[in-house]
């Protein structure tokens, strides 16, 4: 088969390069997929390769089009433009019931009138598999998701975690080529959610099933996914491993969406020993890598809350000056300290032991960790 | 002071029950009491001279069950009740499905069309049906002019006309519970079904249909009970050659002055409704155990 790809597909392939996933075959390919609802663009020109066995998270705030994109893959929505390919086969004309995808819905959408077994068997019955084969595969799925003894229960008799397991078992029972998880953890309590995230990541890796996970929760994306595609206003703005996206964010949106950041307004100053971004109060940062901007250009300087160090004495090299502690909040492993730094509010997250004795009203010296600043040109 | 406190405490304890007071003041004297009197009359004896004589006999019940005249009335009425319930289900189900699934802007209009029969007096509607079903009515005139028939088909004052009227009268009671149960079906369930490989027909048969059963059962119960005790339609649109229960009870009580017999018939009618409710609920519990916890 000769594959004709639009020129922009090369860009997508290049973007995927650099991570180990690029060497695996592409299971699911989105090519310039777009979708509009009336006057609203839900998904715009999305390019994405999902490799075999990879867990990819579509991460973004609500309304960014991530669920629409998932629905396009599942076939519940038709794209206005672009193609979806699953293992080299174009899916555009394939109705949703003929696509080999398995979906776990946000609220699981278990059939309330069927038992756990009935729910898991549904996809197999729809494929008209022989009865003994259905029974075997349902048994397998029940064992896999640790649902032993719950086979004859109705969904209303299950806990939230059990419901999620049934939903996953039902989606996996048909042996889909790609598994789609739509905010599949959001209905669970925090502890259970983290437990299920670990369990499901382990299970999906063991099965080696290609997975797309839609979530608005950065922690969830980091916990489960191999790679993350960050979405904003219907566009995929960055794709990479969690650490790539976190450490080398390509836009202010990605920066602000992942973790807590401080935003400082600054200006580019060319100096003999290299480029410097300086805030109005005189704090200087060295952009790494350098920003393509002339002298005097306005820039945004971002420093993550965990890269802000606090001390009682002005010993640090990069000291930003003295400030006043406004508020200290206990967040378990870290404490969040809000500081007034010459009229600018600065957020610092420090390990609990380190800042245990800071109190509101105290004077502290603020230090931005060298090399921690992300400098982006103001648009 | 102490008396006042005790009174306040008594009111507080009785508080929840006070909410039942308005209903009880109506239901006890005007419903429970008459039913009790009926029950008593049904074991009394009819007497040509003294109207009704205190006794404790089963002869009234035996007669209405064994006498072909009365037995026929029960059989007729049950047949019509089943038939009308079935017809209402067959008409109401697709209507309700369209209303829930497809009707967009026409939805309020369709709902209004369902509610209208509940708002307009049954007498007015019967006269409407008379105009349509009479020998020289709309249906016959149309069929005659199209040459489909040569002589008017008798609908009015026949079982057919009565069934048409009854079906129209009780259709809303079928449609509304159906609409209610269909509207509760989560759209995600349909997507889940299709996503798992089921086509439209399979989704309809294995997801939508079972989940609308509670609505169908509720509709059936309402229509069946309604038809079983309907007095107006059999009287105005039916025929005396095909006797129905409610008019027969009326005739027994008012024309024949057989209060004991009519009381026994009324009690049997009540028991039939209760039996139907118990049976359908048991069937629902047996075949749709999930419905109760839905």
């Amino acid at each position: 088969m000769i594959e004709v790809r639009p020129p922009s597909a090369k860009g997508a392939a290049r973007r995927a390069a650099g991570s180990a996933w690029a060497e695996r075959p592409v299971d699911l390919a989105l090519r310039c997929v777009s979708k509009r609802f009336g006057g609203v663009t839900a998904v715009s020109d999305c390019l994405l390769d999902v490799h075999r066995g990879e867990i990819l998270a579509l991460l973004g705030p609500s309304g960014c089009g991530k669920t629409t994109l998932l629905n396009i893959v599942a076939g519940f929505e038709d794209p206005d433009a672009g193609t979806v390919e699953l293992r080299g086969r174009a899916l555009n004309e394939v109705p949703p019931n003929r696509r080999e995808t398995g979906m776990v819905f946000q609220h699981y959408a278990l059939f309330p009138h069927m038992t756990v077994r009935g729910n898991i068997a549904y996809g197999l019955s729809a494929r008209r598999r022989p009865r003994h084969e259905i029974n075997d595969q349902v048994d397998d799925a029940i064992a896999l998701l640790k649902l032993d003894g719950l086979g004859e229960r109705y969904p209303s008799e299950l806990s939230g975690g059990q419901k999620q397991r049934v939903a996953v078992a039902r989606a996996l029972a048909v042996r889909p080529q790609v598994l789609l998880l739509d905010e599949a953890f959001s209905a669970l309590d925090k502890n259970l959610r983290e437990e299920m995230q670990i369990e499901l990541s382990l299970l999906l890796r063991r099965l080696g099933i290609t997975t797309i996970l839609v979530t608005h929760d950065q922690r969830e994306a980091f916990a489960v996914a191999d790679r993350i595609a960050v979405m904003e206003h219907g566009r995929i703005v960055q794709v990479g491993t969690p650490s790539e996206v976190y450490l080398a964010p390509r836009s202010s949106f990605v920066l602000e969406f992942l973790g807590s950041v401080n935003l400082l307004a600054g200006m580019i100053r060319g100096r003999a020993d290299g480029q410097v971004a300086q805030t109005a109060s005189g704090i200087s940062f060295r952009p790494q890598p350098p920003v393509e901007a002339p002298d005097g250009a306005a820039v945004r300087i971002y420093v993550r809350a965990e890269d802000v160090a606090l001390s009682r004495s002005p010993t640090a090299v990069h000291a930003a000056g003295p400030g006043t502690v406004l508020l200290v909040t206990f967040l378990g492993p870290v404490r969040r300290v809000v500081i007034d730094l010459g009229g600018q509010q600065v957020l610092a997250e420090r390990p609990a032991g380190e800042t245990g004795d800071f109190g509101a009203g105290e004077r502290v010296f603020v230090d931005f960790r060298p090399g921690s600043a992300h400098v982006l040109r103001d648009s | 002071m102490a008396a006042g406190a005790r009174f306040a405490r008594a009111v507080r304890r009785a508080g929840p029950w006070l909410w039942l007071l308005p209903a009880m003041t109506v239901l006890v004297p005007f419903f429970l009491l008459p039913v009790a009197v009926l029950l008593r009359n049904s074991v009394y004896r009819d007497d040509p001279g003294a109207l009704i004589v205190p006794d404790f006999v089963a002869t009234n019940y035996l007669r209405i069950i064994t006498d072909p005249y009365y037995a026929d009335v029960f059989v007729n009425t049950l047949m019509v009740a089943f038939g009308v319930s079935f017809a209402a289900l067959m008409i109401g189900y697709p209507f309700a499905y369209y209303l829930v699934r497809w009707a967009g802007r026409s939805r309020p209009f369709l709902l209004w069309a369902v509610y209208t029969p509940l708002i307009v007096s049954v007498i007015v509607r019967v006269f409407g049906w008379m105009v349509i079903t009479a020998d020289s009515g709309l249906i016959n005139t149309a069929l005659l002019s199209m040459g489909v028939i040569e002589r008017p088909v008798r609908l009015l004052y026949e079982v057919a006309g009565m069934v048409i009227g009854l079906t129209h009268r009780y259709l809303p009671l079928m449609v509304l519970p159906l609409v209610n149960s269909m509207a509760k079906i989560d759209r995600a369930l349909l997507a889940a079904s299709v996503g798992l490989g089921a086509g439209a027909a399979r989704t309809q048969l294995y997801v939508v249909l079972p989940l609308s059963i509670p609505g169908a059962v509720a509709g059936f119960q309402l229509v069946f009970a309604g038809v079983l005790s309907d007095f107006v339609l059999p009287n105005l649109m039916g025929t005396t050659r095909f006797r129905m229960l409610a008019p027969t009870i009326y005739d027994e009580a008012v024309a024949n002055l057989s209060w004991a017999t009519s009381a026994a018939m009324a009690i049997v009618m009540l028991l039939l409704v209760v039996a139907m409710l118990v049976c359908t609920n048991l069937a629902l519990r047996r075949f749709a155990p999930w419905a109760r916890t839905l």
Side-chain angles (χ1 to χ4, degrees):
Chain A
M1 196 180 88
I2 300 165
E3 226 173 57
V4 182
R5 288 183 174 178
S8 42
K10 280 181 193 162
R14 227 190 348 261
R15 235 175 289 166
S19 62
W21 291 106
E23 289 150 27
R24 303 249 197 136
V26 173
D27 246 7
L28 185 80
L30 303 182
R31 298 274 165 263
C32 310
V33 171
S34 298
K35 176 75 183 174
R36 293 171 69 82
F37 292 112
V40 184
T41 305
V43 168
S44 174
D45 217 16
C46 280
L47 286 170
L48 191 63
D49 285 339
V50 189
H51 300 265
R52 186 152 305 168
E54 180 182 28
I55 303 175
L56 182 125
L58 288 176
L59 176 66
S62 54
C64 73
K66 53 192 194 299
T67 296
T68 305
L69 198 54
L70 197 74
N71 282 336
I72 288 173
V73 173
F76 299 139
E77 303 277 1
D78 289 324
D80 297 333
T83 60
V84 179
E85 283 174 23
L86 185 55
R87 299 206 175 156
R89 181 170 76 129
L91 285 184
N92 289 45
E93 301 301 319
V94 182
N97 56 328
R98 299 256 179 266
R99 296 183 182 195
E100 293 302 310
T101 57
M103 180 120 156
V104 177
F105 292 82
Q106 184 169 11
H107 300 288
Y108 315 133
L110 297 179
F111 302 120
H113 59 299
M114 294 180 196
T115 60
V116 168
R117 285 195 77 89
N119 268 283
I120 299 173
Y122 192 86
L124 298 165
S125 308
R127 284 167 174 74
R128 299 179 195 286
R129 298 277 165 75
R131 180 140 298 279
H132 63 92
E133 191 190 321
I134 293 178
N135 277 331
D136 289 349
Q137 295 203 20
V138 170
D139 287 339
D140 287 351
I142 281 183
L144 201 61
L145 271 300
K146 298 177 187 153
L147 289 163
D148 309 78
L150 300 176
E152 300 310 318
R153 296 246 189 118
Y154 285 94
S156 59
E157 301 166 324
L158 300 176
S159 71
Q162 289 166 341
K163 281 183 194 168
Q164 200 209 26
R165 286 165 192 275
V166 176
V168 173
R170 182 175 73 174
L172 287 178
V174 300
R175 310 263 160 97
Q177 292 174 350
V178 57
L179 181 68
L180 309 173
L181 304 173
D182 182 13
E183 300 275 8
F185 299 94
S186 64
L188 300 177
D189 295 335
K190 187 174 175 295
N191 283 338
L192 189 59
R193 184 161 64 217
E194 290 181 353
E195 213 174 283
M196 285 305 296
Q197 283 167 358
I198 293 170
E199 191 181 327
L200 210 57
S201 325
L202 290 173
L203 177 68
L204 297 178
R205 288 192 168 81
R206 186 147 60 84
L207 298 175
I209 185 165
T210 311
T211 304
I212 299 183
L213 162 84
V214 157
T215 180
H216 64 274
D217 181 355
Q218 165 226 320
R219 288 175 58 94
E220 183 172 304
F222 281 18
V224 180
D226 298 311
R227 282 198 307 153
I228 292 173
V230 184
M231 289 189 74
E232 180 195 11
H233 299 314
R235 290 176 180 282
I236 295 175
V237 290
Q238 189 168 359
V239 186
T241 63
S243 61
E244 279 170 7
V245 177
Y246 191 77
L247 298 176
R250 202 172 288 130
S251 70
S252 53
F253 171 79
V254 177
L255 248 164
E256 283 168 29
F257 193 68
L258 306 178
S260 334
V261 287
N262 293 296
L263 169 60
L264 310 165
M267 210 182 258
I268 290 294
R269 298 236 182 275
R271 285 206 315 218
D273 56 342
Q275 196 184 37
V276 161
Q278 201 172 45
T279 66
S281 54
I283 313 165
S284 308
F285 298 90
R286 276 188 189 284
Q288 286 297 337
V291 198
E292 282 177 34
D295 248 22
V299 287
R300 292 156 172 247
I301 303 164
Y302 290 94
V303 183
R304 292 199 187 279
E306 69 262 26
D307 291 328
V308 180
L310 304 172
S311 58
R312 286 226 158 67
S313 48
T315 51
V317 199
H318 248 72
T324 314
V325 173
L326 296 176
L327 183 70
V328 183
T329 7
F330 180 71
L331 298 177
V334 296
R335 260 167 230 265
R336 173 176 292 170
V337 188
V338 185
I339 305 129
D340 177 61
L341 183 70
Q344 162 113 37
Q345 257 187 28
V346 172
L347 209 59
E349 276 178 12
R350 306 305 312 167
E354 187 185 309
T355 51
D357 38 10
F358 282 117
E362 240 181 288
R363 231 168 86 93
V364 287
F365 286 89
V366 178
D367 176 18
F368 297 113
R369 208 161 59 77
S372 66
H374 299 277
V375 181
L376 296 166
R377 188 164 180 191
D378 229 351
S379 47
Chain B
M1 184 64 198
R6 215 175 302 141
F7 177 72
R9 204 159 48 236
V11 166
R12 217 168 25 245
R13 205 171 302 152
W17 299 99
L18 288 175
W19 293 100
L20 289 176
L21 201 61
M24 283 305 162
T25 46
V26 177
L27 280 178
V28 172
F30 298 112
F31 178 73
L32 289 179
L33 222 56
V35 170
V37 170
L38 267 184
L39 201 60
R40 186 203 65 182
N41 284 359
S42 73
V43 293
Y44 278 14
R45 235 173 342 102
D46 283 319
D47 188 275
L51 195 61
I52 189 160
V53 182
D55 204 338
F56 191 79
V57 292
T59 43
N60 300 312
Y61 286 102
L62 282 175
R63 186 166 68 253
I64 60 171
I65 292 165
T66 52
D67 186 328
Y69 172 79
Y70 296 109
D72 271 0
V73 171
F74 282 110
V75 171
N76 289 350
T77 310
L78 284 173
M79 269 175 15
V80 169
F82 272 114
V84 170
S85 305
F86 184 73
L89 185 62
M90 290 299 110
I91 298 166
Y93 194 92
F95 183 88
Y97 186 70
Y98 177 84
L99 191 89
V100 171
R101 186 81 173 80
W102 301 111
R105 248 175 267 172
S106 62
R107 196 172 174 154
F109 172 76
L110 288 173
L111 268 177
W112 176 78
V114 175
Y115 280 118
T116 316
L118 295 177
I119 299 163
V120 178
S121 149
V122 65
I123 305 293
V124 174
R125 277 184 291 136
V126 166
F127 285 128
W129 276 113
M130 285 177 162
V131 171
I132 294 168
T133 56
D135 289 355
S136 56
L138 203 64
I139 294 175
N140 277 315
T141 320
L143 291 177
L144 282 170
S145 67
M146 283 190 292
V148 180
I149 50 173
E150 280 166 23
R151 285 185 306 142
V153 178
R154 205 164 160 77
L155 294 169
L156 191 58
Y157 310 128
E158 272 300 343
V159 180
M162 177 184 73
V163 167
I164 290 172
L166 282 168
T167 307
H168 182 233
R169 178 171 193 189
Y170 291 103
L171 190 60
L173 300 185
M174 178 61 82
V175 171
L176 294 176
L178 275 174
V179 164
N180 188 37
S181 71
M182 286 178 187
K184 273 197 293 193
I185 299 176
D186 187 354
R187 285 281 182 107
L189 294 181
L190 309 184
S193 170
V194 173
L196 285 164
R202 194 179 186 88
T203 301
Q204 197 68 26
L205 194 63
Y206 288 97
V207 179
V208 178
L209 189 65
L211 286 174
S212 48
I213 282 177
V217 169
F220 179 87
Q221 291 175 336
L222 291 170
V223 174
F224 191 90
V227 174
L228 208 62
S229 54
D230 198 287
F231 177 75
V232 178
L233 268 299
N235 254 356
L236 295 183
M237 294 185 78
T239 164
T240 48
R241 281 173 284 109
F242 187 90
R243 298 206 54 87
M244 295 282 285
L245 193 47
T248 308
I249 293 173
Y250 176 83
D251 288 346
E252 286 295 328
V254 175
N256 297 351
L257 293 180
S258 312
W259 284 13
T261 308
S262 66
M265 292 179 80
I267 294 295
V268 171
M269 179 163 86
L270 199 64
L271 290 177
L272 283 175
V273 172
V274 170
M276 183 274 298
L277 289 177
V278 170
C279 287
T280 44
N281 282 336
L282 284 177
L284 195 63
R285 187 178 294 192
R286 169 76 183 77
F287 296 108
W290 45 270
R292 280 175 302 154
T293 46
L294 205 61

